[in-house]
Amino acid sequence: MIRVIPFLLYLWLAAAHQVFLGDITSIAGAVINLPALLVLLVSLYKSELDTCWFAFFIGMVAYIGYGDATGWYILLMAAIGFGTYHVRVRINLESVYSRLVVVFIGVLVHNAVVMATAGGDGSFAILLVRVLSGAVYTSVVAWLFFLVKEGKITYQKLRAIF
Amino acid sequence: MSWFTNLFAKHSRNIHLGLIVIFSAGFIAAPAAVMPPVRQVIVSVFHFPFAHLKSSIAELRDEAAENDRLRRLLTQSSMTIAMYEEAVRENVRLRSVLGFEPPPGYELLPAEVISLAGDFTPIYAVIDKGASDSVLVDQPVINQQGLIGRVSSVSQDYATIQLLTDPSNRVAARLARSREVGIVKFTSSRGMILDNLPVQGTVAPGDTVLSSGLGGVYPPGLKVGTVVEVRRPDLEPFCEITIDPAVNFYSIDEIFILKTGAR
């Protein structure tokens, strides 16, 4: 049961992002794709089944308001988690940048599919810019996460700067 | 039962993946049946707390803005009330001035005191009327309470009043009851006094002191003050009479210059 708690916290984080954090953290229309990022990070560090179930539930939490398309988005999220997990076990992703590339591609694919199906009536160029800017922004957040996780950014180092 | 356990253990991964696909397919195939209860649980467990938090923060922000607006309004209202209170005070003063008649042969020129000068007691006042309003030196100055003093100097738009509290100022005075005459002056030690009144006189506390008109500066009949104390010292020819001035020289505001032009 205890091992479920972090996943529950991730789900609440995704819900908070859907409700108000997404608006607060958006920069010039670029929004962090936190549900996809969380699924990709889980797929890089956890088991296959953990990844797939987490992707399933976070898909429900993030896309429950999308009506008939909810099921497809849940399946898409699970597929991205599943695929990323298998990329991770087949390819050497030791370096931060290789993981960053995986995260960028995963978010880009997810953004592209979601924007293409539910992106509204914007032109292709606008959708492309939103997909790309969202993927880049999310990758930057992932990069900071990897730096913290690798110990390259620490509280002591930050204090030493100031 | 064991074969089922074995089967589950052997194909656990596939069963889990299959369940995920089946559940997702359930959302896709029958959203009307599956979605409402799931949505209710998801929204109430995950979304509602943050939606509530968001609305609370928005309400707090609105409250802060409302608070700020009300503070400004309160400040403005306080200023307005202070202005109204001052207007009410002015209204009361001006009502008391209404109907105030000048002595025969004089006309009233209203003026406002701009500043008062003096160390402990005001002895000079600057008013907002000057030569451009036909103000001349030595014109008497009064208000509805009584005699204030005389114009001592005039510039184009301002004039200076020498008040009765200036020790160098003298007023020829007369007791209203006994018609005895004397000189009113102000001393720093005894305040306003009536001098030059013989000890044989009938002056008593409560007598009204008026200007006598002698000396030519002040017209007769202007109230100067009221006798509060009379002492008749031995071996002295004159009484020592203390007067309570008719005018409160610390709070003079609207005054009138007696212009002799109509005489």
Side-chain angles (χ1 to χ4, degrees):
Chain A
M1 183 64 190
I2 290 176
R3 65 187 291 271
V4 177
I5 291 174
F7 293 108
L8 274 176
L9 292 178
Y10 299 155
L11 292 179
W12 266 308
L13 183 62
H17 183 264
Q18 291 294 112
V19 174
F20 70 101
L21 286 180
D23 293 337
I24 295 173
T25 54
S26 71
I27 300 172
V31 183
I32 302 170
N33 189 342
L34 193 64
L37 176 62
L38 287 171
V39 168
L40 290 163
L41 293 178
V42 167
S43 70
L44 289 175
Y45 294 103
K46 300 291 181 180
S47 70
E48 182 186 30
L49 293 183
D50 285 349
T51 300
C52 290
W53 278 116
F54 178 69
F56 173 79
F57 283 113
I58 206 168
M60 277 205 304
V61 169
Y63 297 104
I64 194 69
Y66 281 63
D68 292 351
T70 300
W72 290 108
Y73 290 137
I74 294 172
L75 206 54
L76 171 68
M77 201 64 100
I80 287 176
F82 180 81
T84 308
Y85 172 80
H86 283 279
V87 168
R88 170 195 137 196
V89 295
R90 283 169 178 74
I91 299 174
N92 178 9
L93 295 179
E94 285 299 311
S95 75
V96 167
Y97 295 107
S98 59
R99 271 176 277 169
L100 212 51
V101 169
V102 170
V103 167
F104 179 75
I105 293 171
V107 173
L108 192 68
V109 168
H110 185 261
N111 272 359
V113 174
V114 172
M115 289 284 180
T117 54
D121 52 358
S123 69
F124 178 73
I126 292 173
L127 290 179
L128 189 65
V129 169
R130 288 172 65 183
V131 166
L132 275 174
S133 62
V136 170
Y137 189 10
T138 307
S139 300
V140 169
V141 174
W143 180 52
L144 292 173
F145 172 81
F146 290 137
L147 290 179
V148 172
K149 192 163 175 61
E150 298 283 320
K152 291 178 180 168
I153 295 178
T154 61
Y155 176 67
Q156 285 77 12
K157 287 181 180 176
L158 286 176
R159 276 196 65 183
I161 293 173
F162 301 104
Chain B
M1 192 64 187
S2 63
W3 67 269
F4 180 77
T5 312
N6 288 339
L7 184 71
F8 188 83
K10 194 176 177 182
H11 300 286
S12 168
R13 172 180 175 273
N14 292 339
I15 291 170
H16 275 285
L17 294 178
L19 282 175
I20 290 169
V21 172
I22 288 169
F23 288 150
S24 301
F27 278 101
I28 295 166
V34 178
M35 289 280 279
V38 175
R39 181 188 293 134
Q40 192 173 355
V41 171
I42 296 286
V43 167
S44 60
V45 173
F46 291 101
H47 289 169
F48 179 74
F50 297 109
H52 185 68
L53 179 69
K54 184 184 180 184
S55 64
S56 300
I57 291 171
E59 276 177 21
L60 269 178
R61 201 177 296 147
D62 290 347
E63 294 289 334
E66 178 73 2
N67 200 359
D68 192 39
R69 191 184 70 80
L70 289 176
R71 273 178 203 276
R72 281 203 301 272
L73 197 63
L74 182 64
T75 306
Q76 287 174 353
S77 301
S78 301
M79 290 170 63
T80 307
I81 288 171
M83 284 168 55
Y84 285 151
E85 285 176 348
E86 179 57 27
V88 167
R89 282 193 289 272
E90 186 178 16
N91 189 278
V92 169
R93 280 199 309 272
L94 294 176
R95 275 177 189 278
S96 67
V97 169
L98 270 178
F100 181 63
E101 289 293 329
Y106 288 87
E107 60 184 43
L108 298 175
L109 174 65
E112 287 214 16
V113 173
I114 296 171
S115 68
L116 292 169
D119 287 337
F120 298 103
T121 308
I123 58 175
Y124 283 96
V126 178
I127 60 170
D128 63 345
K129 295 286 190 293
S132 58
D133 302 292
S134 305
V135 176
L136 301 171
V137 171
D138 279 344
Q139 283 178 330
V141 179
I142 60 173
N143 67 4
Q144 70 276 19
Q145 295 169 326
L147 183 63
I148 290 177
R150 66 181 185 91
V151 177
S152 60
S153 67
V154 179
S155 61
Q156 188 63 26
D157 295 315
Y158 302 97
T160 304
I161 310 295
Q162 184 188 29
L163 305 177
L164 296 188
T165 47
D166 185 352
S168 64
N169 203 351
R170 301 282 190 274
V171 180
R174 183 190 299 276
L175 289 169
R177 182 176 57 82
S178 65
R179 312 305 294 169
E180 293 163 315
V181 295
I183 302 292
V184 170
K185 60 184 179 183
F186 191 88
T187 64
S188 55
S189 56
R190 293 173 55 198
M192 191 170 280
I193 61 171
L194 179 60
D195 204 2
N196 286 37
L197 206 70
V199 291
Q200 294 84 1
T202 59
V203 60
D207 282 353
T208 302
V209 181
L210 306 172
S211 59
S212 67
L214 303 174
V217 175
Y218 303 104
L222 299 175
K223 187 174 181 182
V224 177
T226 306
V227 174
V228 290
E229 185 184 7
V230 180
R231 289 169 55 197
R232 292 179 171 82
D234 296 335
L235 307 176
E236 289 286 341
F238 299 117
C239 297
E240 292 178 356
I241 302 168
T242 307
I243 297 174
D244 179 28
V247 175
N248 181 356
F249 291 96
Y250 294 94
S251 63
I252 51 177
D253 195 351
E254 285 96 13
I255 55 108
F256 298 96
I257 300 165
L258 290 180
K259 291 176 68 175
T260 55
R263 192 173 347 200

